[in-house]
Amino acid sequence: MIRKLESIFTLTDDERQALETLPMQPATLKDHQDIVREGDRPSRSCLILSGFTATYKVTTVGKRQIVSFGIAGDIPDLQSLHLKVLDVSIATLTQCRVGFIKHEDLRDICTRHPRIAAAFWRETLIEGAIFREWVTNVGRREAYNRLAHVLCELLVRLRAVGLVEGHACDLPITQGEFADALGITPVHVNRVLQQMRAEGLIELKGDRLNIPDWEKLKQVGEFDPNYLHLESDRAAA
């Protein structure tokens, strides 16, 4: 969490120490398990310590739309600190190690350290920017460009928390999950991935993604990392 916040906000030593001693209840969750559901009224928020999650909505006929992916360092339901009823659901995609933080403890640290409250506020504003970018991505780009854009975003976000080597990272997201995020079918995702491989844009070995031509993938995805509002430009390099 500290590394994630420091990618978007400069913390002091006192603020880091306060965050390090923030009470939380650790838990290991299995894959494809709901953490919170739309309509819940949670009294705590969930910090992702490891693994991947998805924030999603479901239509009345049961179709799922993933609206963002969560990675280590994220608190995907931080908005529940101020919004009493959740309007989204959040589920694990992989086995996840998480830390549940009571809202009363989050309010306390924000009262004692107003700049931490500002950091959390900035984090939720950036989540809003990511949602806007995803609306544009799904609504106005072709499937090939959509997937390129999401792959670029994930690599940059993972690099910001130290989970990337060069232009390679672990990415255990299935084709079906990408399909739910991009508004296309798993078969279409498979065709797009095959095309990207054939053109030398990506290499996939199991859950390991490598991007041999980063500049080309950014160009295909029309990817500009400005909406992630990172403090350092190195994460997007």
Side-chain angles (χ1 to χ4, degrees), residues 39-101:
D40 283 354
R41 296 173 177 265
S43 60
R44 59 185 186 175
S45 291
C46 176
L47 166 65
I48 305 171
L49 301 173
S50 66
F52 288 77
T53 68
T55 300
Y56 70 94
K57 303 271 290 184
V58 177
T59 68
T60 55
V61 294
K63 294 183 178 181
R64 180 176 69 165
Q65 178 65 50
I66 291 176
V67 296
S68 68
F69 291 120
I71 64 171
D74 288 347
I75 308 177
D77 60 347
L78 184 59
Q79 72 272 22
S80 67
L81 182 61
H82 296 293
L83 302 178
K84 292 183 179 180
V85 181
L86 281 175
D87 54 77
V88 292
S89 300
I90 301 169
T92 60
L93 298 180
T94 65
Q95 178 175 292
C96 289
R97 184 73 175 163
V98 302
F100 290 106
I101 309 171

